[in-house]
Amino acid sequence: MSAKARSDTGERLRDAVSVRRPAASLRYLVGSALSGLYGLLVLAVVVAVAALSVVGVGLLLAGAASGLLRRWCDRERGRVGRTLGRRIPSPYLHPAAATTATAGPDVARHHIADGTLPRDLAAVLQRVIVGIPLGAVALLLPLLSLQSLALPTYWWTMPDGRTAEQFFEITSWWLALASGLIGLAGLAVWSIALPAVRSADAKLLERLLAPTRDQELRLRAQMEEQRRRTAVDVHSAELRRIERDLHDAAQNRLVAVSMFIGTAQRQLSTGTGDVATALAKAQDASREALAEMRRIIQGVYPPALAEEGLVPALGLLVDRMQIPARLRVDAPAPTPASVDTALYFSVAEALTNVAKHSNATECDVHLSWKEDNGEMRVITTVTDNGHGGAEPAKGSGLAGIGSRIEALGGTVTVTSPPGGPTSVRMELPCES
């Protein structure tokens, strides 16, 4: 491509961006106005419930009102975060309970105790007081400017050759030309100022919606406590599984070996029966016991994982799938054994769910590493083309994946709309 062609292409891209920026800003500010109108309703509900709480009746609705306010703030966090290009974390210490409308007064008490209620109310007021007028101005200014810009084309057709502009009455061509210039100036101000206004508004609301330093510290402490509790639960569940496998499988095989050897001893002492047959059965039972012990050991830490690493071990899992599956790996990096183990068993569980429940005809496992704020993270995504509808709350498999990953400070995101596809995304810090 020539330099002139590259320059023309770059200029067209800049023109497209310059057109999109005011349009995106207009969408954001109009959305802010609509959000402000909804926030006004939320504020009215909160004030009404607070007033009724004085006589005790409102306490029954405190949880619903608190949940309504938090959901409004969470939606605004998502919208403002998308505008600013960064995620705004939730400051709530009890996010799961906070969104449950029937959780009762405890939700409202947590809302007050964690210090987020005044900031949430301030965010709603900001949207009502600032967002609604800004949205109205952003929508009306270009319309009024276009009207002023168009007046020179038709003012002379009005009765008596005169018409009213927004600021003065048009009675001559010079005044009509001035009206057109005012319209052009209004459109210029609108296109230049709108992105700056959008950015300032989003940053102001971010300051109200983002957690404070103290809230971040409390959230971190709560997450660490939950992480330790989850790790203990996962470890306990793993110990119970191993104990169950040893009791139900290996122990039964060893009991069978003992019985067959005892039978052979009695046959030798009495000189009756076929001793060779009893010893052969004892040998078969011992082989089965050894095979069962190997299976249990592999369930604790697979040999392929210890000998070859995470990627080859996942490759073996994919190769054993009953449906066509493939493994894609991008920019592999070293990971600790705890992360390897968590990902291996989580992917194994996800693939088992695909094979048993999804009715999929193909499956894809994608493994990648990325650096986020100086921290290396490994991301694993298992995607199938099945019928979808998977819900972590209804399946112990997905819940187990979540517990295993979250115990190491990771996150699990399940996307499974009805009709598919289903995607299980697991993200873990490599320093776990």
Side-chain angles (χ1 to χ4, degrees):
M1 183 184 291
S2 66
K4 184 177 184 304
R6 284 196 299 269
S7 175
D8 292 343
T9 301
E11 199 155 321
R12 283 196 299 269
L13 288 174
R14 284 193 295 273
D15 291 342
V17 170
S18 65
V19 169
R20 284 197 300 268
R21 284 185 62 192
S25 301
L26 179 62
R27 285 196 301 271
Y28 170 81
L29 292 174
V30 171
S32 296
L34 296 175
S35 180
L37 293 173
Y38 180 51
L40 192 60
L41 175 62
V42 172
L43 191 61
V45 171
V46 171
V47 171
V49 170
L52 291 174
S53 297
V54 176
V55 295
V57 179
L59 295 176
L60 301 175
L61 303 172
S66 178
L68 183 65
L69 177 59
R70 291 192 182 203
R71 286 193 293 273
W72 182 92
C73 291
D74 282 336
R75 279 194 291 268
E76 282 300 287
R77 285 186 189 93
R79 200 170 68 88
V80 172
R82 288 190 296 272
T83 299
L84 297 175
R86 54 180 176 265
R87 178 178 172 271
I88 301 177
S90 174
Y92 306 128
L93 292 177
H94 302 272
T99 56
T100 304
T102 59
D106 285 342
V107 174
R109 280 196 290 269
H110 286 309
H111 203 171
I112 297 172
D114 60 19
T116 57
L117 179 60
R119 294 169 61 84
D120 287 352
L121 292 175
V124 176
L125 287 173
Q126 192 274 349
R127 270 290 167 257
V128 172
I129 298 172
V130 178
I132 294 177
L134 281 181
V137 171
L139 188 61
L140 293 177
L141 180 59
L143 298 178
L144 296 176
S145 299
L146 289 173
Q147 181 184 358
S148 296
L149 187 62
L151 273 175
T153 64
Y154 70 85
W155 75 273
W156 49 273
T157 64
M158 303 298 290
D160 299 328
R162 52 198 295 154
T163 186
E165 210 264 6
Q166 285 82 12
F167 306 104
F168 50 84
E169 193 174 42
I170 306 298
T171 58
S172 67
W173 282 104
W174 290 108
L175 292 175
L177 180 60
S179 173
L181 293 176
I182 290 174
L184 283 175
L187 288 176
V189 169
W190 178 81
S191 61
I192 294 173
L194 212 61
V197 171
R198 177 187 69 164
S199 178
D201 178 80
K203 288 177 181 177
L204 174 60
L205 199 62
E206 181 189 24
R207 293 178 65 87
L208 296 173
L209 294 175
T212 63
R213 178 64 177 169
D214 290 341
Q215 289 169 348
E216 286 180 348
L217 293 176
R218 287 200 297 269
L219 284 169
R220 196 171 301 165
Q222 185 194 41
M223 291 176 62
E224 285 299 321
E225 177 63 27
Q226 183 178 0
R227 177 177 170 179
R228 286 193 296 269
R229 192 161 51 244
T230 303
V232 170
D233 293 342
V234 170
H235 182 66
S236 300
E238 195 70 16
L239 289 178
R240 288 194 297 270
R241 182 188 67 80
I242 295 172
E243 180 185 9
R244 185 173 61 251
D245 289 346
L246 289 172
H247 181 273
D248 296 343
Q251 178 178 275
N252 291 340
R253 303 288 190 275
L254 292 175
V255 168
V257 172
S258 177
M259 290 177 57
F260 288 131
I261 291 177
T263 301
Q265 287 177 334
R266 287 193 300 272
Q267 290 173 343
L268 281 174
S269 62
T270 59
T272 58
D274 189 353
V275 178
T277 301
L279 290 175
K281 291 181 179 180
Q283 188 177 30
D284 291 340
S286 67
R287 290 197 188 100
E288 292 176 359
L290 286 173
E292 196 62 39
M293 291 295 294
R294 290 193 190 98
R295 185 189 67 80
I296 294 173
I297 292 171
Q298 289 177 358
V300 176
Y301 196 83
L305 197 59
E307 296 168 4
E308 302 183 38
L310 178 62
V311 174
L314 292 182
L316 289 175
L317 286 178
V318 170
D319 289 341
R320 293 172 188 161
M321 278 291 288
Q322 303 169 359
I323 62 174
R326 65 172 181 168
L327 172 66
R328 294 185 294 121
V329 181
D330 295 338
T335 50
S338 58
V339 173
D340 289 347
T341 305
L343 283 178
Y344 177 86
F345 285 112
S346 298
V347 171
E349 181 66 39
L351 293 178
T352 301
N353 289 342
V354 171
K356 286 184 177 180
H357 308 299
S358 70
N359 291 330
T361 58
E362 61 181 10
C363 179
D364 182 84
V365 180
H366 184 205
L367 195 63
S368 63
W369 282 257
K370 73 170 185 178
E371 189 171 351
D372 186 12
N373 294 327
E375 179 187 51
M376 185 62 70
R377 302 181 71 85
V378 56
I379 302 171
T380 306
T381 305
V382 180
T383 306
D384 67 75
N385 66 343
H387 53 63
E391 295 185 22
K394 294 184 179 179
S396 59
L398 290 174
I401 292 174
S403 298
R404 191 184 296 274
I405 298 298
E406 289 167 5
L408 296 179
T411 58
V412 177
T413 304
V414 179
T415 305
S416 184
T422 296
S423 175
V424 181
R425 186 180 188 272
M426 298 160 276
E427 184 171 342
L428 270 172
C430 291
E431 287 76 11
S432 295

